[in-house]
Amino acid sequence: MRTSLMVAIIGLTFMIIGFILSSIASNILLSSSFFIIGFLLDILGILMINRDIESLLVRLEMEHNKPSPDDIKRRPFRRPKR
């Protein structure tokens, strides 16, 4: 989760640098490349965050579906098939 947040923050930083360079300098290529790199890093960070949240939800669902020790004790005894 920390990695995805760092990627998103770095992407925002690149976007801000690109915006500042576009307002200060007349070099459109440099500022637009910073902005595009930041935008792509933001998309990557958002996808990583979504993947992390999805894995957490799956882990919680698996934890919730585990039978408790009382449920295991109450199960009927199954005789082995021959």
Side-chain angles (χ1 to χ4, degrees):
M1 187 70 128
R2 283 184 246 163
T3 308
S4 53
L5 289 175
M6 289 300 296
V7 168
I9 290 171
I10 290 170
L12 284 174
T13 306
F14 271 99
M15 289 177 74
I16 291 170
I17 289 172
F19 183 72
I20 290 172
L21 285 177
S22 68
S23 65
I24 292 174
S26 62
N27 192 354
I28 299 297
L29 183 63
L30 181 66
S31 62
S32 63
S33 63
F34 268 107
F35 191 82
I36 290 172
I37 290 171
F39 184 72
L40 293 175
L41 282 174
D42 280 340
I43 290 173
L44 178 66
I46 289 169
L47 290 175
M48 290 172 67
I49 290 171
N50 286 340
R51 187 196 63 195
D52 292 341
I53 290 172
E54 184 178 333
S55 66
L56 284 174
L57 289 175
V58 167
R59 192 178 310 153
L60 285 174
E61 184 177 339
M62 287 176 58
E63 187 70 30
H64 179 70
N65 289 336
K66 281 185 180 177
S68 67
D70 293 333
D71 292 338
I72 294 173
K73 288 178 185 176
R74 286 187 222 147
R75 284 185 187 163
F77 180 72
R78 294 183 186 163
R79 297 185 183 185
K81 295 181 181 179
R82 293 184 182 183

